[in-house]
Amino acid sequence: MPHKMKMKSLLKNRKISKSEAALTSKKLLEVDLDTIEGIEDSPQVECQRQKRRLKIPEKIKTLDFKKWQKNSKSPETPKVELDFNGNLEQNRLAEAQQQLVEAEESLFSSEEVARTEAEEDKVHKNCEIFIFQLRLAIRDSFSEDNQETLKSALISILKEEAQDRRWAEVAKDQRPIWRPTRCRKIHEDSLQIIVKQRMKNADEQENKADNLSSSLKREVCRMGIQVQKDLLRVVRNLRECYPPDFDICRTYIQLYHQAFSTRLQELARSNISLEECLYILSWIVDYYPKDVLKHKELEEHINSSSLGPLLPEEDLKRLEDQYLSYKENEVRKWLSNAFEKEVKKWSDDIEPELMDGYYFSNFAVDVLPLVDGAVKDVNTLLSSERKACSLLNQLDSFLLSFKTSLEEFDWKNRKKQENIPKTLSANLVHIYQFRDYVQNPEHPFSEDTRTTCLSTLADLKNICHKYFLSGINKELKPLYRKLWTQVWFAGHCEVVEELVKALENNINNLKELKPVCREELLAELHAEVMAEYVRRMMKRKLKLKDKEQQEAAAEFICHDSNTICSVFSKVGSREEWLGQILPKLSEILRLQDPGSLQLELVTLARHYPDISEQHVLALLKLKTNLSSSDVCRIKGCLSENRGTLDTESPTSFFSKIIVKWKII
């Protein structure tokens, strides 16, 4: 015999994995023949040589696994000496796997060891039985009575991985035909089967989804509930059974997410109703992210960004477009139906409702909450302000139709003419309500749509104002004709008092307008009265020949301004700037020095940049004692300085006054 012989171990130069975590042999038995050097061959030596074999490690431990096992709350299984079949019957898969490895090593540890085909078949058969039992243990993971069996199965998987790696270093023709067993892959495949089956069976379970209106909605709801329920069991129970490197929470989350996603794609691509479309979107946007992914017990174990979307972009866009199209049609229908009812009230001469002393229409109150709710629904469900804006575009086209109907309606031939101002008063109320809604920056109008809507609403308001103001102006017109005439100059107090009395009577007739509507109408009336007063001045019906007449006229103007403005002030007009116009014009009449007059006109142009050259010349023509050269000099100075004037106010007033005749 050789002086020294050692059996080569399969453990030589093997790689150590994370799962093994420094897996080492506690005691390795080695046959050393140095002690029998020089001994002649004998029956005892031959017997020793026949029995010679390499012993496998007596005990294999994984440090990470040992640490996990130490922290496990489950009691240690008492050690019972059972054979392979006995261990399997007792669901002690780790012990059965250890016996299987020992039998395997006894057959394949050396080429010199004789092994029969029957012995190899027996180990192979036992290996298949073990794998079968392993699958059963994994597939029964969610059974509460299976937790100890699952832990034992996981120990055996780690050991099988280690054994696969050992045999990977040996030539294929020298290793067992069942190696590698790939138990980790078996575990992963089994989990996929578990998840697929549990998601399939979810549709057969009774729960709160039974009250939903369609089979699709019930299926989606049950699957979503199943995902949450099973993931909670993974976190609460199964997680404790697994070693850390299995990362079992992440694995299950990905499998359930993928299973849910796959089924939702199939459903989304079928011919689904609008309600079903909305329900799927609700799960994608609301229920699944909030109730599942953000559940307080699951959130720390889930990396939402790594999961990906439940639906591909193409499928999601198709559902979103279907939902958005429905919402657009819904808003259009609401507006159209409500407006048809409103116009019918006009045609039927139905008197509007009187509430809190003013006439009122429910039109905007009924419609706007519906529109706003639809906008919020779309913004929330689709997370797209741009798509929410498309709903508000319906408001733009509706307001244009409203304007056309209001303009073309035959108000003159109404049987009950007394209802017209009441109807228009009610219209002003909802016009202002629409305007407030459009102006609110919280509502997601595009800038173009907001601008267009506000412009249309301004036109609608002007249509109503025109009706009220045309009647008032018709009554005041004879009184306006007396202004700036010899009658006015001789007894201006009587003329103005008559005008004021007529104003007060007409203003009193507007008391059934809602205060905010009344205030804007009175502001417009105030501006028109002041503009008409100045227009009468510039008609030159009265010629002021000398200083005394000009100073008297200046005093009359100031008195008239105070009298007229006090009327509007009492009824709530806030247009205080209108009270400053006539006093400024009176100063032009009072001044006699051309230089001072020139400065005053420059100041007037600064305050009212819309004053034209014709307006200035009309004012100067009132002063008949002013020479033509002075007029030309003042005109030239104003023209030179107009481009450099720093205007203090964008207020438009003189543009309302048209000087019809040309002044040379």
Side-chain angles (χ1 to χ4, degrees):
M1 293 181 62
H3 290 174
K4 187 174 184 181
M5 179 184 298
K6 291 187 178 181
M7 298 296 294
K8 293 185 179 180
S9 173
L10 292 173
L11 300 175
K12 183 179 180 182
N13 298 325
R14 67 183 178 84
K15 297 181 180 179
I16 301 177
S17 69
K18 178 181 177 183
S19 298
E20 226 174 341
L23 186 66
T24 59
S25 300
K26 185 175 182 181
K27 183 178 179 182
L28 182 65
L29 301 182
E30 185 181 80
V31 179
D32 192 342
L33 301 185
D34 284 345
T35 57
I36 58 173
E37 183 177 358
I39 300 179
E40 295 181 356
D41 290 347
S42 64
Q44 292 80 4
V45 173
E46 183 64 25
C47 181
Q48 177 73 20
R49 186 160 47 240
Q50 292 297 326
K51 293 180 180 179
R52 184 172 69 236
R53 60 190 177 90
L54 176 66
K55 296 289 184 74
I56 65 171
E58 291 184 349
K59 192 172 185 181
I60 303 174
K61 292 185 179 180
T62 303
L63 297 183
D64 282 350
F65 191 72
K66 180 180 178 183
K67 181 179 179 182
W68 157 75
Q69 205 172 28
K70 181 179 179 182
N71 292 334
S72 175
K73 296 180 180 179
S74 60
E76 293 185 1
T77 305
K79 295 182 178 179
V80 180
E81 294 297 332
L82 297 172
D83 62 6
F84 176 76
N85 290 328
N87 279 320
L88 287 183
E89 289 176 2
Q90 295 294 322
N91 291 322
R92 300 173 63 180
L93 274 70
E95 289 78 359
Q97 187 271 346
Q98 181 67 32
Q99 292 170 332
L100 193 62
V101 169
E102 289 175 356
E104 179 182 286
E105 290 290 347
S106 69
L107 289 178
F108 291 90
S109 60
S110 172
E111 295 179 1
E112 298 179 7
V113 176
R115 60 178 180 270
T116 66
E117 185 176 345
E119 290 175 325
E120 187 172 346
D121 288 345
K122 181 180 179 181
V123 176
H124 189 184
K125 181 179 179 181
N126 286 345
C127 181
E128 290 178 342
I129 294 173
F130 165 75
I131 295 297
F132 177 76
Q133 290 294 112
L134 181 65
R135 293 181 191 274
L136 292 180
I138 296 169
R139 293 186 187 183
D140 202 24
S141 293
F142 282 89
S143 172
E144 294 182 1
D145 300 332
N146 188 56
Q147 302 304 292
E148 292 302 320
T149 302
L150 179 61
K151 289 179 182 179
S152 183
L154 295 170
I155 294 173
S156 68
I157 290 174
L158 288 176
K159 291 182 177 180
E160 279 296 290
E161 281 190 300
Q163 192 70 1
D164 282 347
R165 284 192 293 273
R166 292 192 195 101
W167 283 111
E169 299 174 358
V170 178
K172 187 174 182 180
D173 59 348
Q174 296 179 12
R175 70 177 73 154
I177 60 174
W178 56 85
R179 290 292 172 187
T181 59
R182 298 186 178 90
C183 286
R184 176 79 76 140
K185 180 68 167 55
I186 291 171
H187 172 264
E188 293 172 354
D189 293 344
S190 297
L191 293 190
Q192 290 183 356
I193 294 172
I194 291 171
V195 171
K196 184 177 180 180
Q197 191 64 37
R198 290 183 72 82
M199 291 293 280
K200 180 180 179 181
N201 293 339
D203 196 37
E204 301 171 1
Q205 299 176 9
E206 293 185 3
N207 52 38
K208 62 184 180 181
D210 294 336
N211 297 325
L212 295 172
S213 60
S214 74
S215 59
L216 182 146
K217 292 164 74 172
R218 289 191 290 272
E219 180 182 354
V220 172
C221 182
R222 286 169 176 162
M223 286 194 298
I225 292 173
Q226 190 71 40
V227 171
Q228 185 199 62
K229 183 173 67 175
D230 285 356
L231 290 181
L232 284 173
R233 292 185 65 180
V234 170
V235 170
R236 292 168 180 171
N237 306 116
L238 296 187
R239 183 166 57 102
E240 296 180 356
C241 299
Y242 276 84
D245 77 319
F246 274 80
D247 200 3
I248 194 61
C249 291
R250 182 189 62 82
T251 301
Y252 266 114
I253 288 165
Q254 288 182 331
L255 289 173
Y256 273 102
H257 180 83
Q258 184 58 45
F260 196 23
S261 173
T262 300
R263 184 55 182 153
L264 283 181
Q265 289 179 45
E266 294 172 356
L267 295 174
R269 292 169 185 174
S270 62
N271 185 21
I272 62 176
S273 68
L274 176 72
E275 283 190 5
E276 292 168 339
C277 165
L278 173 59
Y279 194 72
I280 292 176
L281 285 174
S282 297
W283 266 98
I284 293 172
V285 175
D286 190 16
Y287 307 144
Y288 185 70
K290 294 177 182 177
D291 296 341
V292 179
L293 301 184
K294 295 295 182 181
H295 189 281
K296 61 182 179 180
E297 293 185 58
L298 300 177
E299 186 174 7
E300 64 176 294
H301 303 285
I302 297 177
N303 180 6
S304 301
S305 61
S306 67
L307 294 177
L310 274 176
L311 283 183
E313 184 177 351
E314 179 181 352
D315 294 325
L316 183 61
K317 185 178 184 300
R318 184 169 56 254
L319 293 182
E320 289 179 344
D321 290 345
Q322 181 180 353
Y323 173 68
L324 183 61
S325 176
Y326 165 75
K327 279 296 185 182
E328 288 176 344
N329 290 332
E330 189 176 47
V331 169
R332 192 181 301 114
K333 184 178 179 181
W334 290 337
L335 292 169
S336 176
N337 289 345
F339 188 59
E340 284 179 8
K341 292 179 181 178
E342 191 70 17
V343 174
K344 190 175 186 306
K345 291 179 183 178
W346 303 350
S347 301
D348 295 344
D349 289 321
I350 297 176
E351 183 176 325
E353 180 183 353
L354 193 64
M355 186 180 71
D356 295 334
Y358 61 86
Y359 288 103
F360 178 82
S361 169
N362 289 318
F363 178 44
V365 174
D366 291 341
V367 169
L368 284 178
L370 297 176
V371 174
D372 192 53
V375 170
K376 289 178 179 177
D377 288 345
V378 169
N379 203 9
T380 300
L381 196 60
L382 306 187
S383 300
S384 173
E385 193 170 279
R386 178 184 60 81
K387 292 181 178 179
C389 282
S390 68
L391 294 184
L392 295 175
N393 291 340
Q394 307 302 317
L395 199 58
D396 180 18
S397 56
F398 155 73
L399 290 174
L400 289 173
S401 298
F402 182 10
K403 175 186 172 183
T404 301
S405 298
L406 197 61
E407 285 176 329
E408 296 178 354
F409 192 77
D410 187 9
W411 298 103
K412 294 181 180 179
N413 294 323
R414 294 297 93 203
K415 294 180 180 179
K416 297 182 180 180
Q417 289 290 311
E418 67 275 11
N419 280 347
I420 295 177
K422 299 174 184 178
T423 300
L424 293 177
S425 295
N427 271 283
L428 276 175
V429 172
H430 62 243
I431 289 170
Y432 278 60
Q433 289 169 338
F434 275 111
R435 187 181 70 178
D436 291 342
Y437 182 83
V438 174
Q439 286 178 333
N440 191 334
E442 294 181 0
H443 299 145
F445 284 89
S446 66
E447 284 305 313
D448 289 343
T449 302
R450 193 187 303 276
T451 301
T452 305
C453 285
L454 289 176
S455 175
T456 305
L457 286 165
D459 292 341
L460 285 166
K461 182 192 74 170
N462 290 337
I463 292 171
C464 296
H465 280 195
K466 183 179 179 181
Y467 173 84
F468 290 106
L469 295 177
S470 61
I472 295 173
N473 289 331
K474 184 177 181 180
E475 186 175 337
L476 296 180
K477 190 172 183 179
L479 301 177
Y480 287 147
R481 289 175 178 170
K482 295 180 182 181
L483 294 173
W484 278 83
T485 62
Q486 289 296 337
V487 174
W488 169 80
F489 193 73
H492 79 284
C493 290
E494 291 80 2
V495 173
V496 173
E497 285 176 4
E498 188 179 1
L499 175 64
V500 166
K501 186 176 181 179
L503 273 174
E504 289 174 339
N505 290 336
N506 280 278
I507 290 173
N508 191 52
N509 293 334
L510 302 175
K511 63 182 179 181
E512 291 174 341
L513 276 170
K514 189 176 181 179
V516 64
C517 304
R518 187 166 178 260
E519 182 180 316
E520 288 198 25
L521 180 60
L522 289 176
E524 191 170 336
L525 177 60
H526 190 178
E528 284 197 5
V529 171
M530 302 306 289
E532 188 61 32
Y533 190 100
V534 175
R535 186 180 296 111
R536 300 306 300 181
M537 281 181 64
M538 294 184 178
K539 280 185 173 291
R540 293 199 308 165
K541 297 291 183 180
L542 181 66
K543 295 183 179 181
L544 305 174
K545 299 180 179 180
D546 52 32
K547 177 182 177 182
E548 287 75 17
Q549 287 184 345
Q550 293 170 17
E551 288 179 348
E555 185 178 345
F556 294 163
I557 290 177
C558 291
H559 179 271
D560 293 349
S561 177
N562 291 334
T563 303
I564 294 170
C565 290
S566 65
V567 173
F568 287 99
S569 179
K570 289 177 183 178
V571 294
S573 175
R574 299 181 182 179
E575 307 300 309
E576 296 178 357
W577 65 277
L578 290 171
Q580 302 172 7
I581 296 174
L582 294 184
K584 292 182 184 298
L585 297 181
S586 71
E587 192 64 17
I588 293 175
L589 293 178
R590 187 184 63 80
L591 291 173
Q592 301 298 314
D593 177 58
S596 300
L597 191 59
Q598 181 175 297
L599 291 175
E600 189 64 28
L601 282 169
V602 170
T603 302
L604 185 67
R606 181 181 293 113
H607 284 92
Y608 306 101
D610 63 332
I611 191 170
S612 68
E613 181 180 313
Q614 283 190 325
H615 291 133
V616 172
L617 292 176
L619 290 173
L620 294 177
K621 288 297 182 180
L622 291 173
K623 302 171 69 69
T624 56
N625 59 342
L626 195 64
S627 66
S628 299
S629 59
D630 289 336
V631 171
C632 291
R633 192 180 304 110
I634 293 171
K635 174 186 168 184
C637 178
L638 184 62
S639 299
E640 291 175 4
N641 290 279
R642 183 179 287 276
T644 61
L645 290 177
D646 183 16
T647 58
E648 298 178 359
S649 171
T651 304
S652 174
F653 176 78
F654 285 93
S655 56
K656 302 176 187 295
I657 303 166
I658 299 175
V659 180
K660 295 183 179 180
W661 42 276
K662 187 175 181 181
I663 303 174
I664 301 175

